[in-house]
């Protein structure tokens, strides 16, 4: 778990102006993996509900409930109306604060892979391999709300984790806390500490730096401003590693800050910067946590070392909503020395979403490109990896084009056909950074033999009362399999699961 020192806590209070929390009810977040999110993203893409916080996930439960209530039900069909009502019944707070809510969930599943995203097949170092297994899970989700404060604890026992190459648990390798946090919320901002998957960037697409990829990344989050202009700050401690001698512990930290602006009509955009720093005995350093400065400049002024990132997020709402995210990791402007020949490292996503003519079918199309050396650094400790799992994209040196449709075939019956073309080079964030003499022969994009995967798949979700049924199946047509020229492979990947939930709400004594 990340450790936040007293100086950081004091700094957060200074950022908020020492504000006294206003008397209002706090609201827990709806996790990105919550059963309702596929339906919510479909309704947003189809224009049925407004996006409560564009370019920012997850939603607070109260914000999402207000968006569902505001939907114009007279303009949608009966299936959509019943789905809206089912979501609102599940997400609206049943009792005013102070109160608590407990949800128990048990589930069984079977899949031909143990990783979370089927597009991970054969990617990464070491490559993710398919395994056919059955899984069982059980979880207890506790929400306690009292005035402006909410406490959430969600322990889950999931046997799938034991076989997921991204899971770092050792002693107890089947138990995790997907959400565990305390959040103090008031009209002008929020002070948060704990673990919760977040995503900065277009909705429904993984962010290029801050995403839901890492497991259990405890962090401090501070935001303040107005409903249309917000400053957001995240600070966390990454996993500690040992130096090359194996005797000294190297502390590693990441901070990110973003100015988010939602204009009155169609546009939302955000400008952000982040930094990763490390060292034996290094701690949270205030000049990297200051959201009103740029970590790269402060590192130069203080003669310290930091791996810096700059980014921009954009969205224009309309019948067709266009979006994009752009990140610069490193670029060499001059060519005066051998080190100036380092290939540029960057990542971007561009895309659009909307409704298919006047039907209830929604679509989303996006293209992503991540350069070969993105996330890597000359200092191997200053990579944004948490237990070797990317805090943004878990892979680099690839591009991906995805077209996804979504349609409600019945109340809370959602189908999602997908077509993806993925080209993956031999580069990976976990590989060593190339040496200066290797720069001229290092590819900016697509190192070595490029593996191409065409994925044709369909996902399905069905929710009725306490029962959820979900599944996903598709075929991968692979060319240059394993980065071997001319090799081909065809893989069928599928998963199916059923979950039963019961919940209980009551006022606090």
């Amino acid at each position: 778990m990340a450790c936040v020192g007293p100086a950081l806590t004091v700094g957060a209070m200074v950022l908020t102006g020492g504000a006294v929390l206003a008397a209002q009810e706090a609201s827990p977040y709806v996790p990105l993996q919550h059963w309702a999110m596929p339906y919510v993203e479909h309704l947003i893409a189809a224009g049925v509900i407004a996006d409560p916080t564009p370019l920012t996930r997850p939603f607070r439960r109260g914000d999402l409930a207000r968006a569902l209530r505001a939907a114009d039900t007279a303009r949608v069909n009966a299936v959509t109306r019943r789905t809206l009502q089912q979501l609102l019944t599940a997400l609206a707070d049943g009792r005013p604060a102070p109160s608590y809510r407990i949800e128990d969930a048990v589930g069984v599943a079977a899949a031909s892979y143990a990783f979370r995203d089927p597009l991970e097949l054969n990617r990464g170092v070491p490559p993710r391999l398919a395994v056919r297994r059955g899984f069982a899970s059980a979880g207890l989700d506790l929400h306690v709300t009292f005035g402006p404060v909410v406490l959430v604890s969600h322990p889950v026992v999931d046997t799938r984790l034991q076989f997921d190459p991204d899971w770092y648990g050792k002693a107890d390798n089947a138990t995790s806390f997907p959400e565990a946090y305390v959040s103090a919320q008031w009209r002008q901002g929020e002070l948060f500490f704990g673990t919760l998957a977040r995503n900065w960037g277009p909705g429904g697409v993984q962010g290029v730096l801050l995403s839901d990829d890492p497991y259990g990344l405890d962090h401090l989050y501070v935001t303040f401003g107005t409903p249309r202009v917000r400053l957001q700050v995240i600070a966390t401690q990454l996993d500690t590693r040992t130096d090359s001698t194996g005797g000294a512990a190297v502390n590693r930290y990441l901070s990110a800050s973003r100015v988010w602006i939602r204009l009155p009509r169609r546009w939302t955009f955000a400008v952000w910067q982040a930094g990763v720093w490390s060292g034996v005995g290094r701690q949270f350093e205030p000049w990297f946590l200051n959201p009103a400065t740029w970590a790269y400049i402060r590192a130069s002024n203080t003669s310290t070392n930091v791996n810096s990132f700059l980014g921009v997020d954009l969205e224009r709402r309309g019948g067709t909503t266009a979006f994009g995210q752009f990140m610069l990791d490193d670029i060499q402007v001059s060519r005066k020395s051998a080190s100036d020949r380092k290939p540029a490292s960057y990542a971007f996503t561009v895309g659009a979403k909307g409704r298919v003519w006047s039907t209830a079918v929604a679509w989303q199309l996006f293209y992503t490109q991540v350069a070969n050396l993105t996330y890597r650094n000359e200092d191997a400790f200053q990579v944004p990896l948490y237990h070797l799992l990317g805090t943004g994209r878990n892979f680099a040196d690839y591009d991906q084009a995805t077209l996804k449709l979504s349609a409600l075939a019945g109340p809370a019956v959602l189908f999602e056909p997908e077509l993806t073309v993925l080209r993956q080079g031999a580069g990976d964030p976990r590989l060593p950074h190339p040496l200066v003499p290797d720069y001229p022969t290092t590819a900016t994009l697509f190192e070595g033999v490029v593996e191409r995967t065409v994925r044709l798949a369909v996902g399905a979700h069905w929710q009725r009362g306490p029962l959820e049924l979900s599944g996903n199946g598709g075929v991968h047509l692979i060319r240059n399999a394993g980065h071997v020229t001319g090799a081909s492979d065809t893989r069928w990947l599928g998963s199916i699961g059923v979950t039963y939930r019961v919940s209980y709400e009551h006022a606090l004594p």
Side-chain angles (χ1 to χ4, degrees):
M1 176 180 291
C3 297
V4 179
L8 183 57
T9 304
V10 172
M13 295 306 296
V14 171
L15 285 174
T16 61
V20 177
L21 302 185
Q24 70 171 49
E25 282 190 24
S27 179
Y29 286 89
V30 179
L32 288 168
Q33 301 304 318
H34 193 277
W35 66 262
M37 285 307 297
Y39 303 98
V40 170
E41 294 291 1
H42 163 78
L43 294 171
I44 291 173
V48 176
I49 65 173
D51 191 330
T53 54
L55 304 174
T56 307
R57 298 292 188 271
F59 302 123
R60 292 195 305 177
R61 182 183 291 263
D63 295 337
L64 184 52
R66 281 189 288 273
L68 292 168
R69 289 192 187 97
D72 186 357
T73 56
R75 301 180 60 184
V76 298
N77 59 31
V79 168
T80 302
R81 281 196 298 271
R82 291 179 63 182
T83 301
L84 282 166
Q85 185 56 51
Q86 187 169 333
L87 291 172
L88 189 56
T89 300
L91 296 174
D93 293 328
R95 292 181 177 271
S99 62
Y100 66 91
R101 182 178 187 274
I102 299 175
E103 180 178 280
D104 296 308
V106 293
V108 293
S112 59
Y113 55 94
F115 33 82
R116 291 169 289 177
D117 183 355
L119 284 172
E120 292 190 25
L121 179 67
N122 294 336
R123 300 172 70 191
V125 177
R128 275 76 172 148
L129 303 178
V131 294
R132 295 185 178 184
R133 292 188 178 273
F135 311 112
S137 63
L140 176 67
D141 195 1
L142 171 66
H143 299 178
V144 181
T145 305
F146 40 98
V149 178
V150 60
L151 172 69
V152 173
S153 183
H154 184 197
V156 174
V157 178
D158 187 353
T159 60
R160 182 193 64 81
L161 294 174
Q162 302 172 75
F163 309 101
D164 187 342
D166 290 331
W167 175 241
Y168 56 83
K170 302 300 181 187
D172 183 353
N173 59 1
T175 303
S176 67
F177 281 83
E179 299 88 40
Y181 59 85
V182 59
S183 171
Q185 303 168 14
W186 65 105
R187 187 170 302 152
Q188 290 77 25
E190 177 184 3
L191 179 62
F192 171 105
F193 179 73
T195 178
L196 174 71
R198 295 184 184 274
N199 195 81
W200 282 0
V205 183
Q206 194 178 44
V208 295
L209 185 65
L210 186 65
S211 77
D212 61 339
D213 210 62
Y215 282 109
L217 184 63
D218 292 88
H219 59 276
L220 175 73
Y221 172 72
V222 180
T223 181
F224 55 92
T226 71
R228 294 195 178 275
V229 180
R230 312 283 295 181
L231 178 62
Q232 302 163 320
V233 182
I234 284 179
T236 187
Q237 181 173 350
L238 304 176
D239 56 303
T240 299
R241 303 180 185 176
T242 56
D243 64 6
S244 57
T245 67
V250 179
N251 298 327
R252 308 189 314 118
Y253 304 93
L254 178 145
S255 70
S257 57
R258 184 170 78 152
V259 178
W260 178 90
I261 300 175
R262 185 174 189 175
L263 298 178
R265 299 189 67 181
R266 296 182 180 272
W267 284 94
T268 302
F269 67 93
V271 180
W272 50 270
Q273 62 97 26
V276 179
W277 66 100
S278 64
V280 176
R282 289 189 77 172
Q283 300 296 324
F284 275 114
E285 296 169 3
W287 38 82
F288 296 145
L289 297 172
N290 187 344
T293 63
W294 180 12
Y296 176 79
I297 299 298
R298 297 306 299 272
S300 302
N301 294 342
T302 56
S303 299
T304 54
N305 191 17
V306 63
N307 182 16
S308 297
F309 304 85
L310 287 176
V312 176
D313 305 335
L314 299 167
E315 180 179 288
R316 184 187 183 275
R317 300 180 302 279
T320 296
T321 295
F323 56 77
Q325 182 174 56
F326 307 87
M327 182 185 78
L328 179 63
D329 183 358
D330 197 357
I331 187 170
Q332 304 298 317
V333 178
S334 65
R335 289 291 186 267
K336 297 180 180 179
S337 64
S339 61
D340 293 337
R341 303 188 68 179
K342 175 182 176 179
S345 51
Y346 60 87
F348 69 86
T349 294
V350 292
K353 58 186 176 183
R355 187 173 64 174
V356 178
W357 297 298
S358 59
T359 70
V361 179
W363 61 271
Q364 184 178 53
L365 174 67
F366 68 88
Y367 173 79
T368 287
Q369 186 177 115
V370 182
N372 178 21
L373 298 184
T374 303
Y375 311 121
R376 283 194 264 177
N377 188 261
E378 291 84 350
D379 185 339
F381 294 109
Q382 294 184 357
V383 292
L385 299 178
Y386 182 60
H387 293 282
L388 298 182
L389 186 64
T391 53
R393 297 295 177 92
N394 200 24
F395 305 100
D397 196 24
Y398 75 94
D399 73 349
Q400 173 183 341
T402 293
L403 171 63
K404 181 180 287 188
L405 304 178
S406 59
L408 286 169
V413 180
L414 182 69
F415 288 97
E416 296 180 303
E418 174 192 341
L419 168 62
T420 289
V421 179
L422 172 69
R423 296 186 297 176
Q424 176 67 63
D428 187 82
R430 287 153 285 263
L431 291 173
H433 192 277
L435 301 176
V436 172
D438 298 324
Y439 285 173
T441 58
T442 300
T444 300
L445 181 67
F446 297 142
E447 184 76 21
V449 177
V450 178
E451 179 182 272
R452 189 191 70 182
T453 299
V454 177
R455 172 174 166 80
L456 300 166
V458 62
H461 307 269
W462 176 79
Q463 181 75 31
R464 179 65 59 86
L467 193 64
E468 176 197 1
L469 180 65
S470 62
N472 190 290
V475 59
H476 289 202
L477 308 174
I478 306 173
R479 182 180 178 184
N480 296 337
H483 302 286
V484 176
T485 302
S488 62
D489 194 7
T490 299
R491 293 292 189 94
W492 294 87
L493 294 181
S495 65
I496 187 169
V498 59
T499 303
Y500 185 82
R501 299 181 180 87
V502 293
S503 61
Y504 175 76
E505 294 182 73
H506 205 276
L508 283 173

